[in-house]
Amino acid sequence: MSSDSWPPQLKEWVAKCLGQMTDANRAEAQTELKKVISDAFTSQTLWTTDWAAVQLQSLLPKPSPALNHLKRKTTEQTPLSKKAKKAQKQSQSNAQYISASANSSNTSPVFDPNDQAALNRRAERFHREHELERVKVLRANSHHAHLFQNGKGPFSRSESPYGLDGAAADDPEADPNVIDWDRHTIVGTSTELLKDYFRLTSEPKPEQIRPYPILQQTLLELKKRWREKCSYNWICSQFKSLRQDLTIQRIKNDFTVQVYEIHARMALESGDMVEYNQCQATLKTLYELGIPGRVEEFTAYRILMLLHGLNRSELNLYVGQLTPRQKADSAVQHALGVSRALSMGNYHSLFHLYDNAPNMGAYIMDHFIARERVKALMTITKAYRTIPLAFLKSELAIETLDETRMFLVKHNAGFFTNPNKPDINKNVDCKPAHGHLKEVFEEKYRKVGIKGAI
């Protein structure tokens, strides 16, 4: 806040107060003046306060002891009315409205109170000192901003953990009272390309951590190994180690997003929902920081995961926050179509969407499609007496007749009117199947547990 941004009435009031100070009351009056201006700045009422009506208590004439005794006696004898109490309370609170931050010398030479130029100089000096303290507070409040560096270049370092030396000393935002956490950020020196994941039990050492350029080479090697069909358990350990090195060095950029996105897809393909959910949680945070990535793709995955968890309230909140760009994406539109089909009980549309899921959406749907097939079968067996097995195969999006029959048997619904005929000619007996499907659904699908869910 520059000097020009102070209200003229405040400047005049400060000059007036400074002119009324004497050697006897200067220390007390300056302290109260700072408090009043500081409180007003904090409450953002610098421009709305009637400064001409604000009176510093320390500048009021000191009554004689006899007068104090008389006033105390009068107060005891005559209780104040509500209106008088309110006026008294307002008068007392006016003096505590805002605050300043300067320290004027108590040994200032005596000057003429009518010398306006001198008063203005003192008011301007008081303003500058107050401004210095205000900037100090703002710096203290903003010291966490460095946590969101994108990691594309080297982090700033200083010789002192409090940012007094090195680059931080030239930083206008540096605060000697705030720890410079960049000073303690480890920069790895290891050149080891591949490294298994181990949970940290002590402070990491630079020689155990791979620096950013090595991590980039590591990702290329891991992608190559995955194409060569290496073990998922091994590749997962390598990716967790890669993510750990990024976290220790506090690297958050588009490369970090790429690492988590690739690991999330591998986890989906391998059915590892715990690791997928951990990646998805981190990606959500990285996207919110504005770091670019496949935001729409993973937005669609998140919608499908919420459908898997039957978390309708959070889903409605999440969908309501989607941007026009996200809603226009084909993968997001597909996920929203799945949501509509489920809410309307349109199983025909649901299984069609399952067959045509973009990206890796079908891998997530695999985790709740059996539940929805049972619900569809409950509707079908309630509406028909018999139903061809071949029709169920097509309608429920099951690949083969054998898998369709085994699905019915697994869910205690393998009742057929002609059990000895080939599967292509089999008809399901709906009445006995319906009762067992209801029992299985209540036992197996009513509650959903998702490991590592976010």
Side-chain angles (χ1 to χ4, degrees), residues 228-263:
E228 295 172 353
K229 307 296 183 182
C230 71
S231 163
Y232 170 74
N233 290 334
W234 180 85
I235 204 80
C236 181
S237 175
Q238 292 295 318
F239 263 95
K240 290 179 71 173
S241 175
L242 172 55
R243 287 160 42 190
Q244 185 182 67
D245 286 357
L246 288 170
T247 301
I248 290 172
Q249 298 176 93
R250 296 168 60 237
I251 299 174
K252 296 181 180 180
N253 58 10
D254 49 358
F255 174 77
T256 309
V257 169
Q258 186 182 10
V259 169
Y260 278 90
E261 287 177 343
I262 293 174
H263 194 187

Side-chain angles (χ1 to χ4, degrees), residues 262-286:
I262 293 174
H263 194 187
R265 295 189 190 100
M266 291 179 178
L268 279 180
E269 187 173 346
S270 304
D272 186 356
M273 300 307 291
V274 173
E275 210 61 47
Y276 167 78
N277 280 313
Q278 291 179 4
C279 292
Q280 175 75 296
T282 303
L283 284 171
K284 181 176 181 291
T285 302
L286 295 173

Side-chain angles (χ1 to χ4, degrees), residues 7 11 77 79 82 97 99 122 124 158 173 193-194 206 229 257 263 279 290 294 301-302 335 390 410 412 446:
K11 294 180 181 180
Q77 294 176 351
K82 289 186 177 180
Y97 217 47
S99 125
R122 295 187 70 188
E124 192 63 30
S158 65
E173 294 298 319
L193 203 60
L194 301 175
K229 307 296 183 182
V257 169
H263 194 187
C279 292
R294 298 294 298 273
Y301 295 159
R302 181 160 178 78
K410 180 180 178 181
N412 298 336
R446 179 61 68 181

